[in-house]
Amino acid sequence: MASSSTGKKIQVDATDDELTEREEEEEELEHFDDFTLASSWERFISEIEAVLRLWMSDGPNNLLEKGAVLLEDSGNLYKVKSEMKYAMKSYCMEYYFKTNPDVDAGKLADWSCGLHDLQLCFGVKEFLVIAPQSASGVVLDAPEASKLLSAVAIALSNCSSLWPAFVPVHDPSRKAYIGIQSMGTVFTRRFEADRIGSQVPVKLMHLEGLYELFASKFAYSTLDLSVHNFKVRFAMKLTFRTLPYDDDNMKDAKITTSGENLTGEMSHGTQWDDDCSWSEWYSAEDPVKGFELIAIWSEKMVESSMEMAELENASPHEAEKWLMSLRPEGSSGNWIGFASELRVLVDALQMSFEAQFMEDFVSAENPGSDNLKSSMVIPPPTVRDRVLKELFIEGAQFSDFANSGHKTYRAIKGAPLGSLFAQFCLHSLWFGNCNIRAIAVLWIEFAREVRWCWEESQLLPRMPANGSIDLSTCLINQKLQMLAICIEKKCQLNEDYQDCIGSLDQIDSMSEDESVVGNDSFSIQTPSEDFSGKVDRKPEDVDLLNDKKPSDLTRRGSVGILDSMMLLKSHQSMHAPYTQEAPLMTEDMHEERLKAVEAFGDSFNFSAQLERDILTSVHAKILQYNNIRRDRPIMALLLDMSAFKAANPEAIFEDFIRWHSPGDWEEDDDPEGSKSSSSSALDIKKSKESWPPQGRLSKRMSEHGNLWRKLWNSAPALPASEQKPLLDPFREGEKVLHYLETLQPHELLEQMVCTAFRAAADTLSQTSYGELKQMETEMQQLYLTMASALRPLQINRLSADSETIEDLRRLSVAFEQVEKLLILAASLHRKLIQAPRLSREIFSDYYNFYIRTTRTGLTTEDIGEKEFDKKQVVRDHEREVLSNMFVPPTANQSWRKVLSMGNLLNGHEPILREIIFSLRDRVNGNHYAARGGSVSQQEIETYRMYICGTSNDLRVALSVISCD
């Protein structure tokens, strides 16, 4: 019996275990979704729920790794999305979240913070949006919208999620939404937003009516809202915008007594950039379309309609905070500036290799002229004549070009800004759209005008007529400088010749009785004249009469006595002679002489006949000796010797070396002499006492057959006034004209490109833009980039298919970016000259935005879609500067828009008014949901209304918490 009872007990226990397992299996079956009997709407809810659970389990950090997209201009707001189908329709559900939402907690009412539209409207942080994948992107059918929102709400409830969900409804232009959010308790928040696009009720145009609209949402409908007080929270943001530039604005610009424009706009009848450096060549569209001023009233408590009426009459100066933002002008079509024309000039350079001479591009016999004529238009003769008039007739005379460019401009081998060729290149950019035919026509006429100046002995405008030739410039500029000097010397020779002829005629007209014959006190020296009719340009030097020795009577061309220097073979002081200046040479002339030196070598061991030919022929090649003082050629050395002999008739070769090349005279070691020469002032008396000087020639000068001694032995005693000039202005002038008239097209265009880039950059660098370090850096980098890109043009290694052409096109793109930035910087500086800090901060923000959008490989379409909206806080002392930009509207402007709102700024109503009303209450006696925490005695926002718009446009977004 015992065993029987024990078996029954084991069986009962086993039965209990089976029941427990069966109950657990039934519990598992309860959580199983049987989709064989589920409707399509239930399956849609389940699909939404699966996506929501996945997003909730991943969390923000994992969602970022899975490809969440950062929304631009919205702080750290990210977005993920998922697509799903229901009832033959496709929907897209998006989840907006922040990586660290606690950081921005309590800042949703901060107007300066970049917020999403739904965050601003409803005060939410993270949220869902579900919308159909259609052209409109909204749900047009009300039942469908309600059903869609219900599906999302059920899915969120199943996931125990507190995310708010929104569905866009109605027409897209209305920006209407409906939404719902579970509060984790018995409370539910519902959202609704809509917009009135026209016929806004007059009552809702004013703060008083908007206050009563909000109060009507929670007050009894039978109450007169205008006489009852309701404590609500109020915050407001007003946006003002400066008027766009037009004729009316110019008439009313505020001008101070000092002539300063406080509005930053231009005065009547002028363009905004009339006094800018580029205005001579083009008028740039003002890149600053205007400014937006945002006045913010922080959250405060209001109690009545009367208080709202008083706020409407308040001045924007009473606002707690001012923000300012720049409204840059959008890109409208092709931008015109230096960069756009430089790009066309590069195209002309590529085409310049198609012809041998510039005349071929305009000649009717050129086979390709028909294609050129059809695609490239030459401006009419009147335009060409006007350009030539500006270059030659109205051209300014020479000015100092040394300080006209950037400090690194010499790295670019072009003509200096303001010079004749630089002006020609800048004019060419705008002549016939800078096509190759127009350039050819202008250059041919330019060369003719230059020849006319030469033949008529007219000074060449915009070119220096003295000094040395600047070899750091392009060859054309060197040639024009050489021609200007030749014209000047030609004019001097003509004047001397005319003076001489006039003096001779005056003497011939005198009677024989009046003339003095045989009187040594009256003599006329006829200027020496060569075969070409040229006369000496220097007057005869005054002879020194203080010495009575016979040898001194033949002394000529002396500047004066050299202190402490005595001649070696006579007890006389050494005289310094007048000498001719070193011959002027252009770069190509230096290259020819260098080739001659390389051909003959340094030894000068050539035949006597070749020496004689070099010394006697004016047109022969000039050889250079390495150690000649001041890099003077042999002909100049010979003339120096002649001048020294004339000034020192009893001098020997060693005397000349002591004066001309002191390094080749070695003094003997004499302690007493050294002490005497260094212990006191050097004078003639002590020098005579220590005569004769002790020393000897250097080794190279004492060698047998030394060229210098040969030259000394053959040099006649001639002062500089009787010597033939080293520079033949007639010959050199004709050589310059021949070069200009036979210059090959690609050689001309290469120098034009270098000069045009340099001159354009130098022009822009003269712009005043304040203390903007970024702009200074950009200009420095531009010069370095130009120097690198233009270097191949300076060594004449270019062809039509060269990669340099593409490099130059890329250079023009970089030039355009800097040019646009500089014009913007200049406009900002002019408008905010009394608020330099704002100018610097705004430009710095825009610079970072511009660099990010233009130098990160984005396409033009991507850049065009981006808008710059960075805001700067305006300090108290800067408010008056911004206020002056809002010029009171004139009678012509006042009819354009009827003033219907308050808070005017100098007569301007805000273009946008944003208001947030809110009502808060404490929650008591809550029932909690699965994830709901204790919110006992917690203050929540039970009513919230966001209002945005103007007198003609009103958008209202309402969120209400209700008890289900």
Side-chain angles (χ1 to χ4, degrees):
M1 291 293 294
S3 59
S4 177
S5 61
T6 302
K8 289 181 180 180
K9 184 177 181 180
I10 293 174
Q11 185 176 1
V12 171
D13 294 338
T15 304
D16 293 339
D17 295 337
E18 291 177 358
L19 290 175
T20 303
E21 292 177 0
R22 190 176 302 170
E23 290 177 357
E24 290 177 355
E25 291 177 358
E26 290 178 355
E27 289 179 0
E28 291 179 359
L29 292 176
E30 289 179 359
H31 291 280
F32 176 74
D33 297 326
D34 186 5
F35 287 103
T36 59
L37 301 177
S39 63
S40 59
W41 187 60
E42 291 173 332
R43 285 194 293 269
F44 180 57
I45 295 175
S46 179
E47 186 176 356
I48 295 175
E49 182 180 342
V51 174
L52 294 177
R53 291 184 183 275
L54 179 62
W55 287 345
M56 293 174 65
S57 62
D58 286 339
N61 295 330
N62 290 333
L63 290 178
L64 291 179
E65 297 178 359
K66 292 185 177 180
V69 179
L70 175 64
L71 299 184
E72 295 183 2
D73 305 324
S74 296
N76 63 338
L77 189 65
Y78 293 83
K79 177 182 72 173
V80 292
K81 64 180 181 179
S82 177
E83 299 178 359
M84 54 199 68
K85 290 185 178 181
Y86 167 64
M88 304 301 293
K89 290 186 179 181
S90 298
Y91 295 92
C92 178
M93 186 170 63
E94 299 173 336
Y95 171 48
Y96 296 81
F97 65 96
K98 291 190 174 184
T99 55
N100 192 1
D102 296 334
V103 174
D104 298 326
K107 292 187 179 181
L108 295 178
D110 185 3
W111 304 99
S112 63
C113 182
L115 298 176
H116 189 273
D117 180 58
L118 293 178
Q119 289 179 319
L120 187 60
C121 288
F122 302 110
V124 296
K125 298 177 183 178
E126 50 185 1
F127 55 93
L128 295 170
V129 176
I130 186 167
Q133 290 185 317
S134 60
S136 63
V138 299
V139 181
L140 302 177
D141 183 44
E144 179 187 358
S146 299
K147 192 172 185 179
L148 189 61
L149 186 61
S150 299
V152 178
I154 294 174
L156 288 170
S157 178
N158 294 340
C159 297
S160 300
S161 173
L162 303 181
W163 293 344
F166 299 94
V167 176
V169 295
H170 305 307
D171 187 81
S173 62
R174 293 170 60 176
K175 297 181 180 180
Y177 289 88
I178 59 173
I180 192 170
Q181 178 187 14
S182 173
M183 301 297 293
T185 64
V186 294
F187 296 102
T188 302
R189 175 181 290 172
R190 288 178 171 82
F191 308 96
E192 185 176 0
D194 208 343
R195 173 175 172 267
I196 302 176
S198 60
Q199 297 181 353
V200 177
V202 177
K203 186 176 183 180
L204 298 182
M205 296 179 186
H206 303 281
L207 295 181
E208 184 179 358
L210 296 175
Y211 168 80
E212 295 176 1
L213 174 65
F214 177 67
S216 66
K217 300 301 178 181
F218 58 84
Y220 293 105
S221 59
T222 58
L223 295 178
D224 186 358
L225 301 178
S226 60
V227 298
H228 285 77
N229 296 338
F230 303 97
K231 284 187 177 183
V232 299
R233 297 178 184 272
F234 165 82
M236 182 170 65
K237 169 186 172 183
L238 299 180
T239 302
F240 298 89
R241 181 175 295 174
T242 56
L243 292 175
Y245 161 70
D246 56 20
D247 293 337
D248 294 332
N249 295 344
M250 289 193 303
K251 295 178 182 179
D252 297 283
K254 290 185 178 180
I255 308 297
T256 63
T257 56
S258 61
E260 184 180 357
N261 193 339
L262 296 179
T263 64
E265 301 293 342
M266 61 297 295
S267 58
H268 181 56
T270 61
Q271 298 295 326
W272 76 274
D273 59 348
D274 276 351
D275 57 348
C276 293
S277 57
W278 63 81
S279 60
E280 180 183 356
W281 308 105
Y282 68 95
S283 179
E285 184 179 3
D286 194 345
V288 179
K289 189 176 182 180
F291 296 96
E292 284 190 358
L293 173 62
I294 299 174
I296 297 176
W297 278 262
S298 301
E299 189 176 72
K300 60 184 298 184
M301 189 72 71
V302 294
E303 299 184 4
S304 64
S305 300
M306 293 299 295
E307 190 174 352
M308 295 301 299
E310 293 177 0
L311 281 173
E312 187 168 345
N313 295 326
S315 170
H317 288 276
E318 300 178 13
E320 287 86 350
K321 190 176 185 180
W322 274 24
L323 299 176
M324 180 186 183
S325 64
L326 170 69
R327 295 176 56 228
E329 186 68 42
S331 57
S332 55
N334 294 329
W335 184 81
I336 301 299
F338 279 131
S340 61
E341 303 309 307
L342 289 172
R343 191 178 300 113
V344 183
L345 182 62
V346 174
D347 296 336
L349 170 62
Q350 188 175 21
M351 296 188 63
S352 65
F353 292 90
E354 299 178 1
Q356 186 73 15
F357 301 100
M358 295 301 295
E359 290 80 3
D360 295 340
F361 289 106
V362 294
S363 174
E365 299 178 358
N366 187 10
S369 61
D370 294 337
N371 295 332
L372 291 175
K373 289 180 180 179
S374 61
S375 59
M376 301 180 182
V377 180
I378 299 177
T382 55
V383 178
R384 179 197 62 201
D385 295 341
R386 178 182 58 80
V387 172
L388 294 175
K389 180 180 178 181
E390 293 179 359
L391 284 173
F392 289 91
I393 299 179
E394 299 177 356
Q397 294 303 319
F398 168 72
S399 59
D400 186 11
F401 299 134
N403 299 323
S404 61
H406 195 267
K407 59 183 179 181
T408 59
Y409 72 98
R410 286 189 175 272
I412 304 171
K413 202 173 182 63
L417 180 64
S419 63
L420 183 58
F421 185 60
Q423 294 297 106
F424 169 82
C425 293
L426 291 178
H427 276 289
S428 299
L429 294 178
W430 313 98
F431 186 75
N433 196 24
C434 199
N435 65 76
I436 187 64
R437 294 188 68 229
I439 293 175
V441 170
L442 190 60
W443 174 254
I444 293 171
E445 294 299 325
F446 175 82
R448 289 175 182 173
E449 289 292 330
V450 172
R451 174 168 285 279
W452 181 88
C453 291
W454 165 254
E455 293 175 350
E456 298 297 328
S457 298
Q458 298 293 323
L459 295 180
L460 207 59
R462 304 179 185 274
M463 295 302 299
N466 49 35
S468 60
I469 295 178
D470 189 357
L471 300 180
S472 67
T473 62
C474 64
L475 186 56
I476 293 179
N477 184 75
Q478 298 177 36
K479 293 292 185 181
L480 291 174
Q481 190 175 355
M482 171 71 82
L483 184 63
I485 296 174
C486 291
I487 293 176
E488 176 69 18
K489 293 184 179 296
K490 179 182 175 184
C491 293
Q492 292 177 359
L493 293 175
N494 290 338
E495 291 176 1
D496 292 343
Y497 181 77
Q498 294 298 328
D499 293 342
C500 177
I501 296 299
S503 300
L504 292 175
D505 292 341
Q506 183 179 2
I507 294 175
D508 293 340
S509 64
M510 296 174 61
S511 62
E512 294 182 358
D513 296 337
E514 295 175 346
S515 62
V516 180
V517 180
N519 189 353
D520 294 338
S521 63
F522 179 81
S523 63
I524 297 175
Q525 180 181 1
T526 305
S528 61
E529 189 173 336
D530 62 8
F531 67 93
S532 60
K534 299 186 292 292
V535 296
D536 293 331
R537 57 180 174 82
K538 289 186 177 179
E540 182 66 27
D541 300 307
V542 179
D543 292 337
L544 300 176
L545 301 178
N546 53 347
D547 293 336
K548 302 299 183 180
K549 295 185 177 181
S551 60
D552 291 343
L553 297 178
T554 60
R555 190 186 308 279
R556 295 174 296 171
S558 172
V559 178
I561 297 176
L562 291 172
D563 293 343
S564 76
M565 295 192 71
M566 304 290 293
L567 298 179
L568 292 173
K569 296 301 183 181
S570 63
H571 200 267
Q572 296 181 13
S573 299
M574 183 182 294
H575 287 250
Y578 282 106
T579 59
Q580 295 193 46
E581 296 180 354
L584 299 176
M585 288 185 291
T586 58
E587 185 178 4
D588 57 338
M589 297 170 64
H590 280 282
E591 291 177 355
E592 290 179 2
R593 197 173 74 175
L594 180 60
K595 291 179 181 178
V597 171
E598 293 175 351
F600 291 106
D602 300 349
S603 61
F604 296 100
N605 294 325
F606 39 83
S607 64
Q609 181 63 37
L610 182 57
E611 289 183 26
R612 193 176 303 109
D613 292 340
I614 294 175
L615 295 175
T616 57
S617 175
V618 179
H619 305 289
K621 295 181 179 179
I622 300 176
L623 301 183
Q624 180 188 15
Y625 194 77
N626 292 337
N627 295 317
I628 293 179
R629 184 170 62 91
R630 293 181 295 172
D631 192 30
R632 298 174 72 87
I634 291 180
M635 183 59 70
L637 177 63
L638 178 64
L639 297 179
D640 287 351
M641 291 178 175
S642 297
F644 186 82
K645 280 187 175 183
N648 302 277
E650 298 185 4
I652 60 176
F653 176 66
E654 285 77 1
D655 293 324
F656 176 77
I657 294 298
R658 291 166 59 208
W659 167 72
H660 193 281
S661 182
D664 287 310
W665 178 257
E666 299 176 356
E667 296 278 353
D668 289 340
D669 297 334
D670 187 0
E672 295 181 359
S674 301
K675 181 178 180 181
S676 174
S677 61
S678 60
S679 60
S680 62
L682 300 177
D683 51 36
I684 298 176
K685 183 177 180 180
K686 291 186 177 182
S687 298
K688 289 184 177 181
E689 293 177 355
S690 61
W691 186 88
Q694 302 297 319
R696 58 184 176 276
L697 293 174
S698 65
K699 181 179 180 180
R700 74 182 187 97
M701 286 297 176
S702 59
E703 290 178 351
H704 178 72
N706 181 265
L707 176 63
W708 283 48
R709 187 175 292 276
K710 291 181 179 180
L711 293 175
W712 173 262
N713 294 333
S714 61
L718 286 177
S721 58
E722 298 180 11
Q723 296 174 3
K724 188 173 183 179
L726 286 172
L727 175 66
D728 185 350
F730 295 90
R731 178 174 175 271
E732 296 300 330
E734 289 295 338
K735 288 173 64 178
V736 170
L737 293 173
H738 176 75
Y739 169 81
L740 297 178
E741 293 169 347
T742 60
L743 188 62
Q744 293 187 358
H746 71 90
E747 294 178 349
L748 170 63
L749 267 296
E750 287 172 2
Q751 298 183 61
M752 284 186 63
V753 168
C754 291
T755 299
F757 269 101
R758 170 177 164 175
D762 289 344
T763 301
L764 294 178
S765 65
Q766 295 179 347
T767 304
S768 175
Y769 47 77
E771 300 177 356
L772 302 179
K773 295 182 179 179
Q774 297 95 333
M775 199 66 251
E776 294 178 1
T777 303
E778 284 294 317
M779 290 302 300
Q780 293 175 1
Q781 185 61 40
L782 177 62
Y783 275 96
L784 296 177
T785 304
M786 288 194 302
S788 175
L790 297 175
R791 189 170 293 112
L793 301 183
Q794 302 172 13
I795 57 178
N796 298 325
R797 296 180 181 177
L798 190 65
S799 59
D801 55 350
S802 173
E803 294 181 359
T804 306
I805 300 296
E806 292 301 322
D807 293 339
L808 293 176
R809 291 193 174 100
R810 286 189 288 269
L811 175 62
S812 63
V813 174
F815 194 100
E816 179 179 344
Q817 295 175 356
V818 177
E819 186 176 8
K820 287 181 177 180
L821 278 175
L822 187 137
I823 294 176
L824 176 74
S827 180
L828 274 176
H829 176 65
R830 291 165 58 89
K831 293 174 173 60
L832 297 174
I833 192 170
Q834 293 185 328
R837 185 197 67 86
L838 278 177
S839 177
R840 291 192 301 268
E841 296 297 330
I842 292 176
F843 180 80
S844 178
D845 292 337
Y846 185 83
Y847 175 80
N848 296 331
F849 165 81
Y850 187 80
I851 296 300
R852 186 174 65 253
T853 55
T854 58
R855 301 182 184 177
T856 54
L858 297 178
T859 62
T860 305
E861 292 76 9
D862 295 334
I863 296 174
E865 294 176 358
K866 297 179 180 293
E867 292 184 0
F868 175 74
D869 60 352
K870 190 70 178 292
K871 299 174 179 61
Q872 282 294 329
V873 177
V874 180
R875 297 175 181 175
D876 293 340
H877 67 277
E878 297 168 336
R879 290 192 177 189
E880 188 64 26
V881 178
L882 268 65
S883 179
N884 290 332
M885 293 183 181
F886 292 86
V887 182
T890 63
N892 292 334
Q893 295 170 342
S894 60
W895 64 266
R896 299 178 184 175
K897 197 170 186 180
V898 179
L899 299 179
S900 304
M901 299 192 301
N903 306 116
L904 303 182
L905 178 61
N906 293 344
H908 295 263
E909 68 173 348
I911 63 165
L912 186 66
R913 179 172 61 187
E914 298 175 76
I915 300 172
I916 295 178
F917 289 109
S918 61
L919 182 65
R920 298 182 180 179
D921 201 353
R922 294 187 177 275
V923 180
N924 295 312
N926 295 323
H927 298 277
Y928 304 104
R931 281 197 174 186
S934 175
V935 290
S936 177
Q937 299 299 319
Q938 179 183 356
E939 188 178 57
I940 63 173
E941 198 174 55
T942 55
Y943 291 87
R944 186 183 190 276
M945 179 179 287
Y946 170 77
I947 302 171
C948 173
T950 62
S951 58
N952 299 320
D953 187 358
L954 186 65
R955 185 185 183 194
V956 179
L958 178 66
S959 63
V960 179
I961 294 180
S962 60
C963 181
D964 293 338

